[in-house]
Amino acid sequence: MMPRIVAAETLDSLDENDPAAIRSRRDLQRIHRFMGTRGILVRALQGAVAASQGPKPLRILELGAGDGSLMLAVAGMLASHWPPVDITLLDRQNLVTRQTLDGYARLGWTARPQVNDVFDWAGVQPRHGSDAVQPWDVIVASLFLHHFEAPLLGALLAAIESRTRCFFACEPRRASLALAGSHLVGAIGANAVTREDAVLSVHAGFRDQELGALWPGLRSGWTTRDYAAGLFSHCFLARRRVPANAGSLP
Ligand SMILES: C[S@@+](CC[C@H](N)C(=O)[O-])C[C@H]1O[C@@H](n2cnc3c(N)ncnc32)[C@H](O)[C@@H]1O
């Protein structure tokens, strides 16, 4: 049994323009291909959005979006058979390029970067913020929740729960196969930052029903599911049982 250990990752402490950080973010795109993250997200979002029947265009918020390239790849697979999407890419670093925004636009999605710490976003009272006026149809996170210890994570999940009708997260699975894989990322050319962070990420990852156990109170209004996906990922999907009307969350 691996205990969950959260440790600061090197990439988070590097300036966004540091060459090692730029390289590590590129490594991450390759790692996503090995993890099959795009397909995992596409499958989850297809099911979730069919069930949410939210207002159109769909409003999606990605937390810890990085450079926005992962969701751009997801958009590439969904755009042709989905309604138009307004997506907000929240990250505390300013990483989304003009080229990436143009990529979304070509697919008919409107993408907006939001440079913000997630806990500043979480601290804004939803009843007085734009999130409350129009709740998000979907909030999504990838390789993000594992950065936080349980108490902070619980607070973050509470903020998410109050602002959306659907939440999906794809995180590292805390398991021996994923740990072995994380020690091998050098084989795909990952730099020292990525090699170290990959191992830390698995130790901070999730398993079993850990995210569902942290999902806040009001469970009667939600269905939740923790599940393993692919070889290395742990996913969490939470959906409101009865979609809230736009403008008022129960
Ligand atoms: C491992 S990267 C994942 C990026 C992207 N979601 C993906 O899967 O490719 C984690 C991202 O979370 C961001 N991040 C970490 N802590 C944050 C915080 N407190 N608020 C907002 N973003 C944060 C980092 O800047 C980084 O871009």
Side-chain angles (χ1 to χ4, degrees):
M1 199 43 192
M2 294 163 63
R4 181 164 188 253
I5 300 167
V6 178
E9 293 177 25
T10 308
L11 181 58
D12 291 329
S13 64
L14 294 178
D15 183 86
E16 57 208 42
N17 297 313
D18 186 312
I22 293 170
R23 168 80 189 280
S24 180
R25 281 195 295 274
R26 250 185 252 135
D27 294 342
L28 195 55
Q29 295 182 4
R30 232 169 315 144
I31 287 172
H32 278 313
R33 285 199 281 279
F34 276 89
M35 295 177 74
T37 318
R38 180 182 66 169
I40 291 169
L41 279 159
V42 166
R43 283 189 290 281
L45 291 176
Q46 272 173 330
V49 167
S52 81
Q53 297 169 8
K56 294 175 183 178
L58 289 168
R59 296 178 73 244
I60 298 180
L61 170 66
E62 183 181 7
L63 299 176
D67 61 12
S69 61
L70 176 64
M71 281 303 287
L72 178 58
V74 169
M77 299 205 54
L78 291 176
S80 63
H81 51 283
W82 257 31
V85 171
D86 282 352
I87 184 166
T88 296
L89 303 163
L90 183 149
D91 199 285
R92 68 177 173 194
Q93 292 195 312
N94 186 9
L95 301 171
V96 183
T97 64
R98 182 74 254 165
Q99 198 185 5
T100 299
L101 295 178
D102 289 346
Y104 280 103
R106 275 195 295 277
L107 294 166
W109 287 31
T110 305
R112 277 182 214 87
Q114 182 176 339
V115 180
N116 209 354
D117 190 287
V118 78
F119 291 100
D120 291 339
W121 171 85
V124 173
Q125 282 301 310
R127 293 286 159 205
H128 303 293
S130 59
D131 296 349
V133 175
Q134 219 185 345
W136 298 98
D137 294 302
V138 184
I139 296 182
V140 64
S142 154
L143 300 187
F144 180 61
L145 300 183
H146 72 274
H147 284 79
F148 310 113
E149 303 263 16
L152 265 186
L153 190 49
L156 178 56
L157 292 177
I160 292 169
E161 191 261 2
S162 68
R163 290 156 212 223
T164 188
R165 43 180 66 91
C166 175
F167 174 58
F168 179 69
C170 182
E171 295 293 320
R173 190 187 317 159
R174 203 173 73 253
S176 46
L177 182 63
L179 188 60
S182 71
H183 280 287
L184 295 175
V185 296
I188 58 166
N191 73 357
V193 171
T194 313
R195 291 198 299 274
E196 189 180 323
D197 286 355
V199 175
L200 295 178
S201 298
V202 172
H203 283 293
F206 302 97
R207 57 186 300 153
D208 304 324
Q209 305 304 309
E210 287 178 342
L211 286 167
L214 286 170
W215 190 248
L218 308 174
R219 289 221 184 84
S220 54
W222 290 83
T223 52
T224 65
R225 185 158 84 99
D226 279 79
Y227 62 97
L231 295 177
F232 309 120
S233 301
H234 178 92
C235 296
F236 176 68
L237 177 65
R239 284 198 306 222
R240 276 183 197 278
R241 283 213 184 99
V242 180
N245 293 328
S248 62
L249 287 170

